[in-house]
């Protein structure tokens, strides 16, 4: 294990000012079933915030953020050991998702007139790139001089049924502004589709400290993509106004989740893609989550056009998480920034096609702060 202090200096008016000082440490985190060694990197800023990310799945294993009194808590769900991530059939806790985030309907799509058949790993459909998605791969890591952690995965042509050899480079950075930034860059040698995301489950009270039903959520989206019973978008962009999907103003997750609504029933809660109002490819605020008891606030910024808001509906209390805590239904929420599900089969959705010579680039920021207690 070694430590490296990466400090970026900025010169302002002849004075040198330290802009960012990310302390990066690296340690072994065991070996996969196949015997591949896995490392875990700890990114820490001078405010006490800390992100631990491992090379298996590019998984954010833990993320410590302060509450309004400065007390730190690990705000993402996960496991203590690599073995648990491999064997517990992890519901993608903290993982990098690829080649295609969320679902592709009927596990097939056509590109340039050619049909591609994928794995049906979610009913009739493909979920998160198939059962051997990027979340199960050991990524190649490199520490960047500015304190960033670069992870690279090269997906061979035909892997999980997708055409083209795809190279995905993801850079994680922890900033002095208490933000975990994730940058994605993808290139291919043949036409393909790509839709990467990160699948962290947040609980701003701390992982394992109960449900997220009291978290106040705002999503800057006036439309969402309704789904069929298999959670495949119908193709419609539906206004959220007048529905339990309207988070244009803050609402507690639990306030409307039990309503008799067909979409809510299909999702067993929230498990839908919101169409972000600011989807111009510029980094913009997509969502905000505030936890009233601790005051922790998470803001999600992205260049992506959509966000999958998923309320941990499939967690059932059987998974033993970090520190031996059990994760029950709705104990975590995901805000997976992405292109819309099933875009390869929905010509009217923003395209997810990537061709040789093109570069897919996107950025997502998970920024933490605190809010004062509400006056009683
Ligand atoms: C995504 C999906 C959900 C669920 C989770 C993982 O968020 O939309 O339906 O499959 O991943 O459990």
């Amino acid at each position: 294990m070694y430590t490296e202090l990466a400090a970026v200096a900025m010169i302002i008016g002849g004075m040198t000012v330290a802009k960012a000082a990310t302390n990066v440490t690296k340690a072994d985190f065991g070996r996969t079933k196949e015997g591949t060694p896995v490392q875990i990197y700890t990114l820490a800023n001078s405010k006490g915030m800390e992100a631990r990310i491992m090379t298996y799945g590019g998984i954010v294993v833990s993320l410590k953020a302060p509450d309004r009194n400065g007390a730190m808590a690990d705000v993402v769900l996960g496991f203590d050991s690599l073995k648990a991530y491999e064997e517990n059939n992890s519901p993608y806790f903290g993982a990098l998702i690829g080649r295609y985030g969320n679902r592709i309907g009927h596990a097939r799509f056509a590109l340039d007139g050619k049909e591609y058949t994928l794995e049906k790993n979610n009913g009739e459909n493909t979920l998160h790139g198939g059962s051997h998605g990027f979340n199960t791969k050991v990524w190649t890591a490199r520490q960047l001089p500015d304190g960033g952690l670069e992870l690279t995965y090269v997906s061979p042509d035909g892997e999980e049924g997708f055409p083209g050899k795809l190279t995905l480079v993801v850079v994680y950075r922890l900033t002095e502004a208490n933000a975990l930034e994730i940058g994605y860059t993808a290139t291919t040698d043949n036409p393909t589709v790509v839709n990467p995301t990160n699948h962290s489950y947040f609980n701003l009270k701390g992982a394992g400290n109960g449900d997220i039903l009291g978290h106040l959520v705002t999503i800057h989206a006036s439309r969402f993509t309704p789904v069929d019973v298999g959670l495949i978008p119908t193709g419609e962009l539906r206004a959220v106004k007048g529905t339990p999907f309207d988070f244009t103003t803050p609402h507690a997750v639990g306030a409307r989740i039990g309503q008799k609504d067909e979409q809510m029933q299909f999702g067993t809660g929230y498990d839908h893609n919101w169409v972000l109002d600011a989807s111009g490819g510029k980094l913009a605020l997509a969502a905000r989550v505030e936890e009233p008891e601790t005051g922790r606030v998470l803001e999600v910024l992205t260049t992506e056009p959509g966000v999958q808001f998923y309320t941990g509906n499939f967690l059932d209390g059987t998974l033993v998480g970090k520190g031996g805590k059990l994760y029950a239904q709705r104990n975590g929420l995901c805000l997976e920034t992405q292109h819309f599900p099933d875009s390869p089969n929905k010509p009217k959705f923003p395209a997810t096609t990537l061709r040789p010579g093109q570069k897919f680039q996107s950025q997502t920021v998970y920024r933490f702060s605190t809010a004062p207690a509400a006056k009683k």
Side-chain angles (χ1 to χ4, degrees):
M1 181 163 156
Y2 67 90
T3 307
E4 185 186 300
L5 190 71
V8 179
M10 233 174 24
I11 299 178
I12 300 172
M15 271 172 40
T16 305
V17 185
K19 191 184 157 212
T22 310
N23 190 276
V24 182
T25 60
K26 173 185 167 186
D28 291 333
F29 200 58
R31 283 172 185 270
T32 63
K33 281 181 281 190
E34 294 79 34
T36 312
V38 170
Q39 279 84 40
I40 191 158
Y41 288 80
T42 303
L43 278 54
N45 71 9
S46 73
K47 310 281 165 63
M49 201 172 152
E50 185 199 275
R52 286 166 66 241
I53 296 155
M54 67 161 151
T55 52
Y56 176 82
I59 291 173
V60 179
V61 174
S62 66
L63 186 62
K64 286 188 186 149
D67 71 5
R68 65 164 74 90
N69 302 315
M72 294 304 226
D74 180 1
V75 294
V76 292
L77 274 50
F79 300 115
D80 283 324
S81 69
L82 171 63
K83 204 166 166 227
Y85 280 97
E86 279 194 288
E87 288 182 0
N88 277 357
N89 200 10
S90 168
Y92 308 93
F93 285 152
L96 292 177
I97 304 295
R99 184 178 299 205
Y100 196 94
N102 214 279
R103 293 175 178 79
I104 296 182
H106 302 291
R108 55 152 298 278
F109 67 97
L111 182 59
D112 297 339
K114 230 178 129 184
E115 277 280 324
Y116 295 95
T117 307
L118 309 171
E119 185 196 346
K120 292 182 177 170
N121 66 330
N122 190 254
E124 280 298 294
N125 309 314
T126 307
L127 176 65
H128 296 328
S131 57
H132 301 93
F134 295 6
N135 58 300
T136 67
K137 306 297 179 189
V138 178
W139 294 56
T140 304
R142 187 165 75 99
Q143 285 178 242
L144 302 179
D146 67 356
L149 173 65
E150 182 192 82
L151 298 175
T152 302
Y153 178 64
V154 182
S155 172
D157 178 24
E159 189 180 42
E160 297 291 88
F162 291 97
K165 175 176 154 194
L166 181 92
T167 303
L168 179 60
V169 181
V170 175
V171 178
Y172 283 106
R173 284 195 180 83
L174 184 69
T175 74
E176 284 297 284
N178 280 359
L180 181 66
E181 295 182 357
I182 314 177
Y184 303 81
T185 308
T187 50
T188 184
D189 70 352
N190 266 300
T192 190
V193 293
V194 63
N195 192 24
T197 191
N198 177 279
H199 208 303
S200 288
Y201 287 65
F202 298 96
N203 184 327
L204 300 183
K205 294 191 286 195
N209 292 344
D211 65 54
I212 45 79
L213 295 172
H215 285 45
L216 300 169
V217 170
T218 310
I219 305 176
H220 297 284
S222 42
R223 291 170 303 170
F224 76 115
T225 51
V227 291
D228 66 17
V229 68
L231 295 179
I232 301 298
T234 60
E236 180 192 351
L237 307 185
R238 187 179 293 173
V240 294
K241 208 172 157 61
T243 78
F245 293 82
D246 189 353
F247 283 95
T248 53
T249 55
H251 281 84
V253 174
R256 300 165 295 178
I257 206 165
Q259 281 187 16
K260 270 210 164 50
D261 174 283
E262 189 185 51
Q263 284 300 312
M264 202 70 87
Q265 278 157 5
F266 286 166
T268 352
Y270 296 106
D271 190 357
H272 296 76
N273 170 72
W274 268 252
V275 179
L276 296 169
D277 289 337
S279 50
K282 286 207 191 97
L283 194 66
L285 189 63
R288 181 181 186 276
V289 186
E290 179 177 334
E291 200 291 298
E293 288 168 33
T294 61
R296 286 194 187 89
V297 172
L298 165 64
E299 286 169 307
V300 183
L301 296 91
T302 190
T303 56
E304 284 296 289
V307 65
Q308 185 84 10
F309 175 45
Y310 168 61
T311 45
N313 312 319
F314 298 125
L315 298 176
D316 61 4
T318 56
L319 291 178
V320 183
K322 286 178 277 192
K325 291 185 175 174
L326 298 177
Y327 298 139
Q329 195 187 35
R330 314 250 159 83
N331 277 200
L333 63 84
C334 302
L335 287 158
E336 304 154 60
T337 54
Q338 60 182 16
H339 271 56
F340 310 165
D342 202 32
S343 297
N345 294 311
K346 296 282 183 310
K348 289 193 177 145
F349 285 177
T352 50
T353 309
L354 185 70
R355 298 182 182 282
Q358 294 179 332
K359 205 181 240 185
F360 168 88
Q361 273 179 312
S362 79
Q363 205 194 356
T364 290
V365 178
Y366 293 106
R367 188 165 70 196
F368 291 85
S369 58
T370 58
K375 292 202 183 75
K376 292 225 165 106

